[in-house]
Amino acid sequence: MTTGDSLRSVLTLQLVFMLGFSAVVPFVAAIGQHRFALDASAVGILVGARVLAQQGLFIVGGLLTDRFGPRALLLAGCLLRALAFGVIAWAPHAPAFVVGVVLVGLAGALFSPAVDALVGRIDARRRRAADHGIRRGPTPFAALLMVSELGGVIAALGAARVMPEHSSAVAAFSAVIFLGAAAAVLRLSSAAVETQPGPRSRDSGAPGTSARASARAPEGTSGPQLGVRVLPLAIACSALLAVYAQLFSTVPLALADHGLPPGHMGAVAASLSAATLVLQWPLSRAAERIGRGTAVMLALGLSAAACLCAFAGQLLLPSGALTGLLCGVAVLVGASLMLGNPSAQSLIAEGSGRRRATRLALVPTAGGVAAFLSTTVTGVVSGSANTSAAWPVAAVLPAVMMPLAWYALGLGSRHHRRHRHPAQFSPSGPPAPPAPSLAASAGAPNPHSPNAHPSTTHPSTTKEHTQ
């Protein structure tokens, strides 16, 4: 099976995952209030618990994926999520409903790292391939993000017509979808979903190469030249998800402060979704042209700029113009994610297959922690001062992460400048051969992407979308 066939299989699975997920999870608050009369504080705790169960345990899912292989984790995640939606559908009381919602997050922590590992493997193989004609489309991680967004939008729009009144039927249907996905995983060929653990996979580096060495391999090469440092890079990129979370925590408060109806948040969310579907492909190609490290730095700058634009708009614009400004801010935040996350994931996934899923899981795990801390701080600031004061606070995080990203990417080193091979990123023609002195380390690891398949999207999490 070619990498293109493998990528299509993984993208199809991701689309199915998002259809089942987004038909129910965006409406969890409404379901809790409608069926069980949960108050606002209980709903907030419930939603936070699901996010913590998923994002916080991504690293565990990554470790398990590297230990048991992607197929086992995909299967376990699908079955657990089918059970979770079944519990939501037939929960007789609020505690059972809460258990079902938390199980949804736990299931995502199992299969999302496996999807990331598969996409990362495909991305790494494509970059090593001699025929660069396959790189004319979006990068694998960008494609993953596009498919996730598409599935999320379709499911949410479809379910919005019947939610929350018919939540039991919709949740039961989602459970059936995940049972079907589990059957599909069993039918996938081993070429599409490798079942062997990372250390001895065909993709792994030469004997004796460590995960640490792989995390420091350069763009487009197989030896340890670029010096990408995985943990600092994951921490730096966590700022992107933290600012993304502000769209759903601070923007609704800002609209309320200016006397605007809550429905205007729908326009902001729609702008974000439209931007993702329209801009992800061209932005992924732009990131390839300017270099993935440069794209990460630009993404952090855009993220900070978006917060400052929101701050200036709240201070200077009349209420009637605020919604339009916040829609523009959402597009800027989305662009920062589309530039930064796939680029960082691709770099982290590059090189050795050893512990690739664990490396990739660091990005959403760090992002989940940063988002929780950031929204907590800005919430306190909004309560004690006003929402406009929260935006400069949110802008600080991506700004202070830029030096860390510079260090993690090794952008300032003469070694990095000397060993970049522009021909390797060309849309046509074979990649430049590695220097002879590096031939012995051709199997060494190199960071490249958070999912091991040729696809391009978050989030997962990024987007929380990571199912």
Side-chain angles (χ1 to χ4, degrees), residues 273-291:
S273 295
T276 302
L277 293 174
V278 172
L279 298 178
Q280 180 62 85
W281 187 327
L283 285 177
S284 74
R285 303 318 307 159
E288 293 295 303
R289 286 194 295 272
I290 65 177

Side-chain angles (χ1 to χ4, degrees), residues 341-353:
N341 267 11
S343 298
Q345 290 171 333
S346 175
L347 286 166
I348 290 171
E350 199 166 43
S352 171

Side-chain angles (χ1 to χ4, degrees), residues 80-379:
L80 183 58
R81 188 157 280 182
L83 172 64
F85 283 126
V87 171
I88 291 173
W90 293 290
H93 43 65
F97 175 71
V98 171
V99 169
V101 172
V102 172
L103 287 177
V104 168
L106 290 174
L110 293 179
F111 65 68
S112 290
V115 170
D116 286 349
L118 291 171
V119 172
R121 174 167 60 88
I122 293 169
D123 186 73
R125 287 180 174 179
R126 283 191 167 193
R127 291 179 186 275
R128 289 197 298 265
D131 181 9
H132 276 44
I134 58 176
R135 300 182 63 192
R136 290 172 184 161
T139 63
F141 280 108
L144 184 63
L145 184 57
M146 291 169 66
V147 166
S148 295
E149 189 67 41
L150 179 63
V153 169
I154 292 172
L157 290 177
R161 298 173 176 268
V162 297
M163 283 291 199
E165 291 79 8
H166 300 283
S167 59
S168 293
V170 175
F173 181 69
S174 291
V176 172
I177 287 177
F178 277 94
L179 286 176
V185 169
L186 288 174
R187 293 175 60 87
L188 283 176
S189 70
S190 59
V193 183
E194 284 189 2
T195 56
Q196 294 300 316
R200 294 193 178 277
S201 67
R202 290 174 295 172
D203 213 10
S204 60
T209 56
S210 67
R212 182 177 179 182
S214 76
R216 303 187 53 165
E219 297 189 27
T221 70
S222 54
Q225 297 173 8
L226 182 62
V228 171
R229 297 165 176 88
V230 171
L231 184 58
L233 182 58
I235 293 172
C237 289
S238 70
L240 299 177
L241 185 58
V243 171
Y244 172 81
Q246 299 299 323
L247 294 178
F248 300 93
S249 60
T250 306
V251 167
L253 298 176
L255 292 172
D257 281 356
H258 288 262
L260 297 170
H264 284 212
M265 183 62 200
V268 177
S271 299
L272 180 63
S273 295
T276 302
L277 293 174
V278 172
L279 298 178
Q280 180 62 85
W281 187 327
L283 285 177
S284 74
R285 303 318 307 159
E288 293 295 303
R289 286 194 295 272
I290 65 177
R292 289 170 288 168
T294 303
V296 170
M297 297 298 298
L298 179 58
L300 290 169
L302 272 178
S303 191
C307 294
L308 296 178
C309 286
F311 170 66
Q314 276 195 251
L315 289 181
L316 303 175
L317 293 180
S319 297
L322 184 63
T323 300
L325 171 86
L326 292 176
C327 288
V329 168
V331 172
L332 282 178
V333 172
S336 72
L337 278 171
M338 289 181 271
L339 276 173
N341 267 11
S343 298
Q345 290 171 333
S346 175
L347 286 166
I348 290 171
E350 199 166 43
S352 171
R354 295 188 63 198
R355 294 198 278 273
R356 177 179 283 141
T358 304
R359 301 198 306 265
L360 289 172
L362 288 171
V363 176
T365 299
V369 173
F372 173 76
L373 295 176
S374 174
T375 54
T376 299
V377 172
T378 55

